[in-house]
Amino acid sequence: MVPAVPPPVRPNPVRAYFGNIRRAVSSTFEGMTVTMSWLFRRPSTIQYPDRTEKPVREMLPETYRGLLEVDLSRCTACLLCAKTCPLGCISIETCKHPDGAREFQTFDIDNGLCMFCGLCAEACNFDALAHTREFEASVSSAEQLTVRFVDRPGRLVAKAKDLPPRRPRGSILAALIPGFGRRRRRAAPPEPPASPAPAPAAGAEGPENPEGTA
Amino acid sequence: MNIIQHVANLLIRSVFHADPASWPWTWLVQAVVIGIAAFLAFAFVAIFAGPVSWIERRIAGRIQSRIGPNRVGPQGVLQWLADGVKCWLKEDLVPAAADRPLFLAAPYLVFTGMFGAFVVLPFGAQVVAADLNVGILYLLAITSLVVVGLLMAGWGSNSKWALFGGVRSAAQLVSYEVPSAFSLLCVVLLAGTLSTQGIVAAQGGWPWDWFIFRNPFMFAAFFLYFTAAIAEGNRTPFDLPEAESEIVAGYNIEYSGMRFLFFLFAEWANIWIMAAISAFAFLGGWQIPGIAPEQIAATKGWEFVGWQALSWTIFLVKATFLVFVVIQIRWTLPRLRVDQLMITCWKYLVPLSMLMVLGVLVLLALVPEGGGADTILRGAMVGLGLAVVLVSALRVRRTFRVDREHYREMEGRDLWYPPYRLP
Amino acid sequence: MIPEPVRALLFYLCAGLALAGGCWVAFARNIVHSAFALLATFAGVAGLYAFLSADFLAVVQLMIYVGGVLVLILFALMLTSRIEEARVSNPTIGLVPGAVVLIAVSALLVYACVKEFGGTTDLPPGEPTTAGIGDALLSRYVLPFEVISVLLLAVLLGAVTIAGGRLRKPAPGGKPGKERP
Ligand code: SF4
Ligand code: SF4
């Protein structure tokens, strides 16, 4: 079907014509047998998210820049992160008690706005703000994209002198939003042993000798 | 007797206790029965188009080493329903600059053309909505409505991509009608009739009675017809009207929601129609091996129904197999360029199909049917067909085995994963 | 088989479709609409043929006129360069001469119909006509048939000559025959 690319010497047109027909037939035939053989091969993709060996987030590298979370027990409300963010995703409000202690009013991160550039986490000197490996952020309304980290009133701003150890990454987000990104998992279908004789239903098109020609 | 008359007469005798030949309302009952048959055919298009879209996507997935849709319902069998509901709920947009009446009417015209073809398809021994005695011409004629519909969609959208798609599609359909008509002419020459049922009746149940194995020219004509029909259906490798990489989506680009779905329906229905035409014109249609059509027609009551169902099943199996081939071709071959498309048609398919008509005529004159030469010819052609099947099976096996070794080395697993085990 | 009122209804449906399509072709302001309205006319005429038991003619009418002529017309329209001006492209000109021609032609037609058929005739029985047409074309009317083929061949050659004349001789180094004027 594909016309021959004209070679420098003009070929015999009759031979070229029938050569084209022969090539069209044989290449279509070849192609069909190849695609047919793919029907008997193991698909190389794995289905996300419930057929993978472990949750995808656990397969990601440690430095992955997923959803942001802040450990408020280490946050000094220095506002560095909020000022660094080019998009203004982070809004922090505090108020002062008469005794001098400061209390968080708001610490919101708008994931709908965030571009996961990592500048804010870079700016934080106290390892309070950090990226998690969480990325499955689909929610059913746009407001839910804003994560509110101040979970209870009267949460005091931390003192830089004595900071508690950083809580494990992702645990805060997971506690804050139950079910966030935790999808139902199905067991992978039972995998038959690796090299039994293939089922006879495949007929002539299936390989008869599983060990191959070895 | 036609099954519609049969059913109508049965109804008249049992319900109205009248003689169908002299009763004045026979035509009305027949009209109602025809209406019901038409509705069933319509439902068949809709119900067929859906699952085939799912099957195609699953097969495409396996061919591309993917999984394919398997979420809606068990193994995704209800995916097409979900898609249908989605399209149904979508907004039916009409572009502000569109030529509104044409834009709105085009999908229906396309669909009417496709649906009209179902009227003469011989589904079973007596199962055909209308056995016109110009059946095959009618099939060729009714698809021309589709061309007009596509042009209408292309023009009405008032978008250059849609216009390109429509014009391409029309050029393609008009060109490829020539080789497909010539190939079907071979069939008509052998059958001596234009009626679809007549063509099936001229063949037999066994492969050596099929037209494709009648002589070498018919064998070639089958493939010529199949190629031309794929092109007429705008399927890959001839899907230039919908070439995404060049003209986005072609004539249906401005459509949304249900109207868009109508175009897809027409496309799926068209696959079925071309497979059905190939099956009844070349592959013996509904003929049951070893049973003559007259024997079926002579049976009564449930036996009659049973034979009908069997013939219907045979036809469906043949056509569905061809549908599968069309799908596999789609995921095998790359798209042609426009000039290659026209070269394929006018320089290769048209002269070759004319040659096949001549060859069939010559053989018709030289080799009397039922003679010794005819028997030898048929036997040789059936042998050739078997050889093609066998060689392709061996090729598939060889390709698979070579890659299996590599796979085991690389992955430490067996490559074998049978098609019936759905991932 | 089908009673008289239903037949009449079918007839008027087909005839009405043909007439309405024709009027639309004539009166539409948009030339593309005119072309698409031809579809209705052709379909109506095909229905009339089918009604007259000329099954072959009906189907061929659909195939040639809808599948061939109409598509060619549309093609020509869509490939014209000043396509944007098609919105209002059927200006009304020459009303008076048009009316004169209309009256003259319809008078002639009505006269011919009345003289030839003189009222109603019985419909021919519904029989396959394909074989008869084939026999007639290849025996009694074989000469006109061949003359028409030769005419069509001449048309084809003429078209190729006119279209081919616009292709230049291959420029040195360029691909042969692919040069555009
Ligand atoms: S990751 Fe970038 S965009 Fe997102 S909150 Fe931090 S600084 Fe702003
Ligand atoms: S998260 Fe870090 S940078 Fe942001 S306010 Fe708290 S301590 Fe400062």
Side-chain angles (χ1 to χ4, degrees), chain A residues 57-88:
Chain A
R57 99 177 55 77
E58 288 166 27
M59 297 197 262
L60 294 169
E62 275 299 320
T63 49
Y64 184 81
R65 295 208 295 262
L67 299 181
L68 285 164
E69 76 170 6
V70 61
D71 187 350
L72 283 185
S73 59
R74 286 176 69 88
C75 175
T76 60
C78 63
L79 301 192
L80 270 181
C81 55
K83 287 192 178 124
T84 318
C85 177
L87 307 178

Side-chain angles (χ1 to χ4, degrees), chain B residues 234-283:
Chain B
N234 295 335
R235 296 282 299 182
T236 327
F238 305 103
D239 64 340
L240 286 129
E242 307 166 19
E244 301 90 351
S245 48
E246 303 162 23
I247 51 171
V248 197
Y251 52 85
N252 59 20
I253 178 165
E254 301 292 344
Y255 284 88
S256 62
M258 211 54 198
R259 280 175 215 283
F260 175 70
L261 208 58
F262 264 103
F263 282 113
L264 287 191
F265 259 145
E267 187 182 332
W268 298 115
N270 192 38
I271 302 178
W272 167 260
I273 289 168
M274 54 175 276
I277 295 178
S278 316
F280 85 72
F282 292 94
L283 300 182

Side-chain angles (χ1 to χ4, degrees), chain A residues 69-72 74-84 90 92 104 107 109 120-130 157-158 163:
Chain A
E69 76 170 6
V70 61
D71 187 350
L72 283 185
R74 286 176 69 88
C75 175
T76 60
C78 63
L79 301 192
L80 270 181
C81 55
K83 287 192 178 124
T84 318
I90 307 175
I92 305 170
F104 279 112
F107 198 119
I109 297 180
C120 54
E122 199 80 15
C124 181
N125 288 325
F126 306 100
D127 195 18
L129 189 64
V157 173
L163 291 175

